[in-house]
């Protein structure tokens, strides 16, 4: 198997498709208890806020940022490699069940948080069952129609815990036996506004302000840039601390303008991403998203990110070897971020643009185990 070339902003064409070995994480079965983890070599004994219990973590400290299906795919892969995993999730959804709860109750949109929790559920009977339960949507003629069970559980916990979003998500994670933690990137609901050229099909050169994640995800035309409302929102302190304390930070894959880039517009979180000593991976999408990133090449995704966060650097840009047409251009774009390219088979292989968790885990595993050959700690 080829190793990462660290002589410069090189390209690695990963031809292996081996599966990574999972780690025992010592989590309880959902009853709120956490047993001691494996006494694996290199494990860290950390205090755990559950009585006098402790948990020994195996694997690196990893923070994954994003939202929606892209973050879910990344978490499903990463939980196979480490049990010290934190998801930092965007909170700008304004559609569907999340949008209704947000408007009716003034809460954070819970949908992307729920999906992250579901992705962290184990592969045993407990995990599979609870993942299905919280993802289940009611189908009826009444007000519950379309609501996801997990969304309602999260909002109920927020109400019971005096709108403490972090504690509520910790309780949900304990119920599910989640293999990691989930945090919102901000404690206030956010709105996304974008400048879009050609949103009005009758005026293809006109630049229009499009408001809301739901509208932006379906917009025709070219998205030129995004901003958040309120501007300069506060970050959740625990999310900032997790990024600063991480060994690895993974950004993407996911809807580029509505799930990935919003993290870079929260000042405290953006500063933590720039200043952390963690090594960083940018995981690319497998295909452009209709409307939001129509016509985007892999390198254009990288360039747009650099435009929104010019000081942010990455060690590795991860793409699928069969879906990158211009490797030289992607290598050039990655070098602009200070990193190199790893090409590996990460798609499901049936022609649909979906990440395969086992293949994605194998790619992340190659990156993590090559850590001494990537770059010195900053």
């Amino acid at each position: 198997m080829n190793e990462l070339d660290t002589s410069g902003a090189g390209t690695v064409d990963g031809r292996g498709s081996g599966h990574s070995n999972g780690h025992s994480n010592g989590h309880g079965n959902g009853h709120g208890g956490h047993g001691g983890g494996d006494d694996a070599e290199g494990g860290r004994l950390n205090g755990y806020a559950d009585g006098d219990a402790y948990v020994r973590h195996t694997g690196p400290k990893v923070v994954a940022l994003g939202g929606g299906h892209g973050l879910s795919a990344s978490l499903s892969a990463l939980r196979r490699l480490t049990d010290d995993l934190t998801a930092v999730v965007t909170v700008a959804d304004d559609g569907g069940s999340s949008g209704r709860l947000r408007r009716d109750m003034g809460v954070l949109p819970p949908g992307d948080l729920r999906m992250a929790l579901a992705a962290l559920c184990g592969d045993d009977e407990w995990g599979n069952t609870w993942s299905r339960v919280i993802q289940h949507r009611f189908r009826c003629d009444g007000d519950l129609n379309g609501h996801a069970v997990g969304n309602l559980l999260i909002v109920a916990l927020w109400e019971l815990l005096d709108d403490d979003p972090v504690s509520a998500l910790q309780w949900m994670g304990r119920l599910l036996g989640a293999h990691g933690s989930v945090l919102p990137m901000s404690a206030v609901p956010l709105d996304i506004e974008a400048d879009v050229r050609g949103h009005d099909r009758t005026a293809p050169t006109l630049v229009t302000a499009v408001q809301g994640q739901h509208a932006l995800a379906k917009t025709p035309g070219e998205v030129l840039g995004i901003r958040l409302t309120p501007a300069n929102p506060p970050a959740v302190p625990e999310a900032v601390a997790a990024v600063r304390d991480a060994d690895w930070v993974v950004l993407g894959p996911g809807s580029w303008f509505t799930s990935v880039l919003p993290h870079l517009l929260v000042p405290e979180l953006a500063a933590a991403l720039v200043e952390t000593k963690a090594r960083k991976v940018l995981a690319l999408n497998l295909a452009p998203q209709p409307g939001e990133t129509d016509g985007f090449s892999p390198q254009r995704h990288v360039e747009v990110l650099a435009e929104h966060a010019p000081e942010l650097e990455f060690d590795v840009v991860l793409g699928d070897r069969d879906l990158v047409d211009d490797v030289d251009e992607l290598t050039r774009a990655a070098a602009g971020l200070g990193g190199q390219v790893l090409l590996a088979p990460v798609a499901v292989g049936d022609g649909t643009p979906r990440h395969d968790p086992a293949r994605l885990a194998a790619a992340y595993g190659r990156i993590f185990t090559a850590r001494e050959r990537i770059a010195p700690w900053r």
Side-chain angles (χ1 to χ4, degrees):
M1 181 181 292
N2 294 332
E3 294 183 346
L4 290 170
D5 175 10
T6 60
S7 60
T11 301
V12 179
D13 187 4
R15 299 294 175 184
S17 60
H19 297 283
S20 61
N21 292 325
H23 293 282
S24 173
N25 68 357
H27 285 276
N29 67 354
H31 296 288
H34 288 69
D38 289 345
D39 289 330
E41 182 178 354
R44 294 185 301 280
L45 191 64
N46 292 346
Y48 196 81
D50 188 8
D52 294 325
Y54 288 87
V55 59
R56 180 176 292 277
H57 288 296
T58 58
K61 294 182 182 179
V62 181
V63 176
L65 301 94
H69 294 286
L71 178 61
S72 294
S74 197
L75 294 175
S76 295
L78 290 167
R79 67 176 171 82
R80 291 163 162 79
L81 303 174
T82 180
D83 64 5
D84 200 341
L85 176 58
T86 301
V88 179
V89 184
T90 186
V91 286
D93 193 2
D94 62 350
S97 171
S98 287
R100 290 162 59 192
L101 290 167
R102 174 178 174 171
R103 288 188 296 272
D104 292 346
M105 306 188 69
V107 296
L108 294 174
D112 285 351
L113 299 165
R114 179 201 81 243
M115 291 179 65
L117 285 163
L120 291 175
C121 286
D123 295 322
D124 57 358
E125 183 181 12
W126 185 274
N128 284 327
T129 299
W130 276 107
S131 177
R132 291 175 58 200
V133 168
I134 67 170
Q135 295 283 59
H136 177 73
R137 290 185 184 273
F138 293 105
R139 293 288 178 260
C140 62
D141 295 328
D143 292 338
L144 281 177
N145 185 54
H147 276 305
V149 172
N151 289 357
L152 301 179
L153 283 172
I154 291 171
V155 173
L157 282 166
W158 282 338
E159 281 202 338
L160 290 170
L161 297 174
D162 296 324
D163 294 324
D164 183 342
V166 173
S167 292
L169 293 169
Q170 288 175 340
W171 276 101
M172 277 287 289
R174 292 164 79 180
L175 170 67
L176 305 176
H179 294 236
S181 302
V182 174
L183 298 168
M185 71 177 185
S186 178
V188 298
L190 303 176
D191 287 303
I192 298 176
E193 183 175 90
D195 293 324
V196 182
R197 181 187 292 121
H199 176 73
D200 183 349
R201 295 182 185 275
T202 65
T205 62
L206 180 67
V207 176
T208 304
V210 176
Q211 296 188 358
Q213 177 175 322
H214 186 67
L216 179 57
K218 296 184 176 182
T219 183
E222 178 186 2
V223 180
L224 304 178
I226 62 168
R227 51 195 168 270
L228 295 179
T229 304
N232 302 320
V236 167
E238 291 87 348
V240 174
V243 169
R244 290 189 179 276
D245 193 42
D247 297 320
W248 286 90
V249 171
V250 177
L251 183 63
S255 300
W256 218 241
F257 288 104
T258 55
S259 293
V260 175
L261 297 185
H263 293 274
L264 310 181
L265 303 181
V266 178
E268 294 165 293
L269 193 54
L273 287 166
V274 170
E275 296 166 6
T276 182
K277 292 183 179 180
R279 295 182 174 93
K280 284 164 280 191
V281 180
L282 179 63
L284 296 178
N285 293 338
L286 299 175
Q289 184 173 343
E292 191 172 318
T293 54
D294 256 338
F296 272 37
S297 63
Q299 57 266 26
R300 182 57 185 154
H301 284 80
V302 176
E303 293 164 353
V304 167
L305 184 144
E307 292 166 4
H308 283 78
E311 296 182 355
L312 184 58
E313 295 185 343
F314 286 84
D315 297 277
V316 180
V317 175
L318 173 63
D320 188 277
R321 71 181 188 197
D322 297 322
L323 300 174
V324 174
D325 294 327
D326 195 329
V327 177
D328 290 340
E329 281 300 303
L330 180 57
T331 301
R332 178 194 58 77
L337 296 179
Q340 59 180 304
V341 171
L342 171 65
L343 298 180
V346 295
V348 293
D350 63 0
T352 60
R354 294 180 296 121
H355 285 88
D356 179 271
R359 287 182 165 187
L360 190 56
Y364 285 144
R366 287 188 59 204
I367 293 169
F368 295 167
T369 55
R371 60 188 179 276
E372 297 303 328
R373 299 185 294 278
I374 290 179
W377 289 94
R378 283 181 288 276

